[in-house]
Amino acid sequence: MKHPRTENRGRPSEKIKEVPRKFTRVYYEIPTKPELGCKSVWHYDLDKFANGPYLVEHFDPAFDKLEKLYNKLERLNKPKYHENGRKKRTTKADKIKMETTERAYWKEHYKLYPEDKPKKRGRRANRINS
């Protein structure tokens, strides 16, 4: 009758750690308060590119609102279709949504990029001070 081996004698075998080949790292501009600054995500795939990241994404909270408004405007401008393939009618309510979204988008855009704001044309109003 053999007893089960409970203890290995001699030097323990080395367990080789398997290094991950595909991983991501997240870096924050202000590490102690990540909600304040920018965030960047570095994507690594050592099979694709062995020397460093193959993709770096930067997320800036100042531009998130502008991007959301842009996506909403694109979604509203895209035509909608019935189940049978015919195009749906654009109603007055849809047009109003498009206009308000476009106005909000340009307001946010000019807040971030004031140099893009168009110059005012026309005559200046005369102000009479009494």
Side-chain angles (χ1 to χ4, degrees):
M1 182 168 136
K2 284 191 169 183
H3 294 287
R5 284 178 108 179
T6 57
E7 186 178 322
N8 290 334
R9 302 263 180 201
R11 183 176 179 170
S13 62
E14 291 183 19
K15 293 181 181 170
I16 300 171
K17 290 184 181 178
E18 199 170 303
V19 179
R21 306 288 296 163
K22 194 172 187 178
F23 56 95
T24 60
R25 288 188 179 157
V26 179
Y27 297 103
Y28 294 100
E29 186 178 4
I30 305 169
T32 55
K33 294 187 178 180
E35 64 275 357
L36 290 181
C38 300
K39 173 179 117 174
S40 62
V41 181
W42 295 45
H43 298 271
Y44 292 89
D45 189 355
L46 300 178
D47 296 326
K48 242 186 215 183
F49 189 67
N51 298 333
Y54 70 92
L55 174 67
V56 178
E57 295 177 308
H58 294 285
F59 299 102
D60 193 356
F63 296 97
D64 283 346
K65 185 176 180 186
L66 187 68
E67 191 173 347
K68 284 180 187 175
L69 284 169
Y70 178 77
N71 290 338
K72 182 178 180 183
L73 189 61
E74 287 295 312
R75 192 179 69 247
L76 287 173
N77 284 335
K78 195 169 105 176
K80 292 150 190 77
Y81 294 95
H82 288 287
E83 294 165 1
N84 60 4
R86 291 186 57 180
K87 197 185 227 182
K88 279 189 179 179
R89 181 178 294 143
T90 305
T91 62
K92 192 172 185 179
D94 292 339
K95 288 182 182 177
I96 291 171
K97 278 183 191 174
M98 284 183 212
E99 288 173 9
T100 54
T101 305
E102 191 171 1
R103 235 182 275 127
Y105 171 78
W106 286 112
K107 183 179 177 184
E108 191 66 29
H109 179 84
Y110 294 141
K111 197 184 296 180
L112 293 171
Y113 302 105
E115 68 274 3
D116 286 352
K117 198 167 195 175
K119 294 178 183 174
K120 293 185 180 180
R121 304 265 182 212
R123 296 183 177 199
R124 288 184 52 169
N126 290 336
R127 293 188 183 148
I128 302 171
N129 294 330
S130 314

